[in-house]
Amino acid sequence: MAQAVVHPNIALVKYWGKRDQDLNLPSTGSVSMTVSTFETRTRVMFGVPDDLAVLNGRTARPDEAVRIFEHLDRVVPGRRPAQVVSDNNFPSAAGLASSSSAFAALTVAAADAAGLEFTPRALSALARQGSGSASRSIWGGFVEWQRGSLIDGSDSHGVQIAPASHWDLRLVVAVVDSGRKPIGSRAGMNRTMATSPMYAAWVASYMADVKQARQGILDRDLEAVGDAMERSTLKMFSTMLTSVPPVRYWKPASLALQDAVYRLRDQGVPVWWTMDAGPNVKALTTPEHADTVRAAFEGGCEAVHVLGVGGPPRLEP
Ligand code: PMV
């Protein structure tokens, strides 16, 4: 038995679309920040009579159970039946990156419970196959998920750009809607790849954003990182909006929160926004300005969380 605690990560440069469906290989590289405070705690126990998964206190739906146990088969080939108990301390499936921490935690706990030793890169490549963004939650701090070019995907994994101690930042998360999103990221990506005329431009242009974000992180240059993040975000959503039918996650409140960020920036506050596969808005800023951003968001959404930069996965006794 083993129990892992893993933080989700939020993409600063986005991943949207795959070059290989089965192996979850991305069409683009991406960059993320692992966040503090939010976490997934997952326990894996082998040697039970049957596979059973309990997520946030309820039995997993059949589609969820298939994804979980197929992933266990990948991490521990020839495994025995297992019980998986996983809890998030934040809303699941609302674009708050719960799949990133969920599949990273499942990978780390399963490997430890089976007594298998992997390098972090190998763990990341395994986590990637459960959910792409999970490849980045194997590290704390700032992480790049390299696109890779090998057909078996062994070079498509996260690498740490800098640990959490490198740069103290805040991500102010405005929860617009904590319910389940209308379309999951996997189906949304597939539709985008198959139908958006913007998709080719997205793939052709991501590298400049990755380079700018990577260098901006190393230089602790928030404007460079924020600028790359907003540009990458807008390009990603332009591919979604031009899919047929469109993949739409934004709500009126999401736009109002984006406006709030632009207004603050006009007033000299260093703050940049991003969104993921859901209506929530996340703003990247400095510790000194986090309260100003929080105050600007309050009233315009269900809840506001101020997160710092999170550390790596840990195993609990
Ligand atoms: O790997 P998934 O299924 O969690 O997809 C992540 C997609 C985005 O959150 C929209 C972007 C990203 O890079 O995390």
Side-chain angles (χ1 to χ4, degrees), residues 11 13-16 30 99 131-133 136 185 189 236 276-277:
V13 175
K14 304 292 177 176
Y15 148 60
W16 193 255
S30 55
S99 70
S131 179
S133 58
R136 301 183 306 231
S185 53
M189 282 181 206
M236 176 179 77
D276 291 285

Side-chain angles (χ1 to χ4, degrees), residues 10 12 33-37 142 164-174 222 225-226 229 261 269-274 281-294 297 304-310:
I10 296 292
L12 308 175
M33 179 177 119
T34 298
V35 295
S36 70
T37 315
F142 302 88
S165 59
H166 170 72
W167 198 9
D168 193 18
L169 287 180
R170 294 292 178 272
L171 193 80
V172 184
V173 179
L222 186 54
V225 174
M229 178 175 81
V261 169
V269 177
V271 57
W272 285 263
W273 68 273
T274 189
V281 176
K282 298 122 192 180
L284 192 64
T285 191
T286 63
E288 305 80 64
H289 292 92
D291 280 343
T292 307
V293 177
R294 178 206 284 270
F297 280 179
V304 183
H305 304 276
V306 179
L307 312 176
V309 187

Side-chain angles (χ1 to χ4, degrees), residues 9-18 24 28-32 67 95-101 103 127-128 130-136 145 181 184-187 189 202 232 236-237 240 249 274-278 282:
N9 68 79
I10 296 292
L12 308 175
V13 175
K14 304 292 177 176
Y15 148 60
W16 193 255
K18 306 174 205 265
N24 245 358
T28 63
S30 55
V31 175
S32 64
R67 257 183 101 178
L96 289 173
S98 57
S99 70
S100 67
S101 48
F103 279 94
R128 183 204 76 224
S131 179
S133 58
S135 66
R136 301 183 306 231
W145 171 17
K181 52 201 177 192
S185 53
R186 185 170 294 227
M189 282 181 206
W202 161 249
S232 172
M236 176 179 77
F237 281 103
M240 295 180 188
Y249 292 115
T274 189
M275 292 177 65
D276 291 285
K282 298 122 192 180

